[in-house]
Amino acid sequence: MTAPTQSAVTPDAARTSGAASPAPGNAADRVVKRRRIMDILDRSGRDSLLLTSNTALTWYLDGSRVHISLAGDPIAALLVDRAGDHLVTFNNEAGRIEAEELPQGVNLHSIPWHGQLHASAAGLADDGNPLMEAAVAGELRAARQQLLPAETARYAQLSADAAKAMTDVLTAATPGTTEFELVSDLAARIVAVGAEPLVLLCSGASRSGFRHPLATHAPIGRRAMAVVCARRHGLVANVTRWVAFDAGTPQELDAEARIAAVEADIFRATVPGAKLNEVFAAIQDAYVRHRFGPDQWTLHHQGGPAGYAGRDPRVTADVTDRIVLDQPFTWNPSGPGVKIEDTVLLTEGGVKVLTVDERWPTTEVDGRRRPITLRL
């Protein structure tokens, strides 16, 4: 193991060189997050915690980018101890991290690009044996549940940007647009607003039976679904929309209304203090109530809390986390040829939809405006 060293690049020099971005994060929010980690250490009787996952790192660093490849592991690890925060990264990443991604008050350490990242970070602990993230995964998830003010503002803007990208792309689509062309246009718009397209899905009329349709060269035809999961500042916004070039069949219109009614039941069950497995039971009941059948929930995951992961976690009968105010969610009930999905925030006034573009057609469902198919 190579011992980490303090970066030779000073923060002031790094942040004033070239076109460096201001340091990410919000100081007030980060104080609260550190207190939440200290509470975990207090309950465990330990003095340090090693964070290694993208979800935990981007949450605690309040939006820092700690990846290079979207498919790869983070290129940093963070030791949180009672004296401070210690971010360890590779020497070929340290300059950019310090210049553009390091929040104020975080100590940066670098190791050779071929070094052992996690072992080096763990070695900074006084006893060399910090508490590992996996040992307190549930407590860390609880610490992420309630968004703080600056996080909420960033999430709302990202969600609006994702919804606007959907409107721009689908409004310009034609029956001859291929699935690949549609998702490439979506990707371009997401990247243009400084976000990362983590998931891009599209199913045209010939592939509407697939719940997770990776794009193909097929034209979208008379009807299509598009899905995007976009990440910025660590937060992930998820949205599904439909476009059609005819009036729709009676069966399609009926199914669209019924899946929105399923979602309305889920929203009513999403209240502070409820357990996620209780919401899951409500989802199962809703499919039956709205004539989708008792097995429909088995054909696709149903969503769950959102935020610094696409779902944090996916809801199942075994997840007993309790819902709190200011917690984000993305529920995604689906049926044959239909799906509805938006990113929302649970507020004192109830569920507030974040992925909103006023240009998109909507209808009222249970007192809330919900998206319908865009018909061109």
Side-chain angles (χ1 to χ4, degrees):
M1 181 187 77
T2 303
T5 60
Q6 288 284 151
S7 171
V9 183
T10 65
D12 290 341
R15 289 178 182 135
T16 56
S17 63
S21 303
N26 176 276
D29 283 4
R30 290 204 65 250
V31 168
V32 176
K33 292 180 180 185
R34 180 167 170 81
R35 180 65 262 166
R36 291 176 183 176
I37 294 293
M38 291 300 105
D39 289 343
I40 292 173
L41 292 178
D42 289 344
R43 288 191 295 270
S44 66
R46 303 290 291 276
D47 291 321
S48 60
L49 170 64
L50 183 63
L51 302 179
T52 56
S53 72
N54 185 83
T55 298
L57 287 165
T58 55
W59 165 73
Y60 188 71
L61 295 172
D62 212 31
S64 299
R65 294 175 297 177
V66 291
H67 70 279
I68 296 299
S69 167
L70 291 176
D73 294 329
I75 46 79
L78 184 79
L79 183 79
V80 182
D81 64 22
R82 297 188 183 278
D85 301 327
H86 305 274
L87 188 69
V88 179
T89 191
F90 300 108
N91 63 326
N92 58 318
E93 309 292 352
R96 181 189 62 83
I97 291 286
E98 189 153 29
E100 300 176 346
E101 307 292 342
L102 191 69
Q104 296 290 342
V106 177
N107 302 295
L108 185 65
H109 307 259
S110 67
I111 62 172
W113 62 264
H114 51 83
Q116 298 299 310
L117 184 64
H118 295 175
S120 298
L124 293 173
D126 286 343
D127 60 1
N129 184 32
L131 185 64
M132 305 304 287
E133 181 180 322
V136 288
E139 291 181 83
L140 284 170
R141 193 166 66 236
R144 295 190 295 269
Q145 280 183 296
Q146 187 174 54
L147 294 186
L148 296 165
E151 289 176 304
T152 300
R154 291 197 298 268
Y155 208 13
Q157 186 59 62
L158 168 65
S159 297
D161 287 344
K164 290 174 183 175
M166 276 289 196
T167 303
D168 290 342
V169 170
L170 294 183
T171 299
T174 71
T177 301
T178 69
E179 295 169 349
F180 272 134
E181 288 171 340
L182 193 147
V183 298
S184 67
D185 287 346
L186 268 177
R189 281 164 172 77
I190 294 300
V191 172
V193 296
E196 299 141 4
L198 301 185
V199 176
L200 291 165
L201 304 176
C202 181
S203 60
S206 65
R207 305 175 63 242
S208 61
F210 300 127
R211 305 289 172 108
H212 273 165
L214 293 175
T216 72
H217 288 292
I220 62 174
R222 59 171 287 268
R223 183 172 182 263
M225 177 186 74
V227 179
V228 65
C229 302
R231 182 175 69 189
R232 190 171 64 204
H233 305 300
L235 293 159
V236 183
N238 315 285
V239 60
T240 294
R241 294 289 185 263
W242 290 81
V243 63
F245 303 93
D246 59 20
T249 68
Q251 293 80 10
E252 288 168 350
L253 297 173
D254 176 64
E256 184 176 326
R258 287 187 290 117
I259 204 66
V262 171
E263 183 196 54
D265 287 355
I266 301 172
F267 285 162
R268 282 195 295 272
T270 306
V271 295
K275 293 182 179 180
L276 288 179
N277 61 350
E278 294 171 345
V279 180
F280 187 64
I283 293 172
Q284 294 171 301
D285 291 343
Y287 279 116
V288 175
R289 183 179 308 111
H290 300 292
R291 297 182 286 112
F292 284 100
D295 298 329
Q296 196 59 230
W297 68 269
T298 68
L299 303 178
H300 189 266
H301 78 83
Q302 301 303 305
Y308 288 89
R311 302 298 187 276
D312 196 17
R314 289 182 180 178
V315 67
T316 70
D318 300 320
V319 180
T320 59
D321 300 18
R322 287 194 182 275
I323 293 172
V324 299
L325 278 175
D326 300 318
Q327 184 174 7
F329 294 86
T330 301
W331 302 112
N332 51 266
S334 63
V338 289
K339 178 186 177 185
I340 190 167
E341 177 183 27
D342 274 300
T343 300
V344 306
L345 185 71
L346 181 58
T347 70
E348 290 186 353
V351 169
K352 177 183 180 181
V353 181
L354 300 181
T355 40
V356 171
D357 181 356
E358 298 299 334
R359 297 173 296 168
W360 192 269
T362 62
T363 189
E364 186 169 311
V365 181
D366 198 29
R368 184 179 290 109
R369 304 306 299 183
R370 299 303 298 126
I372 57 176
T373 297
L374 173 67
R375 300 194 180 277
L376 300 175

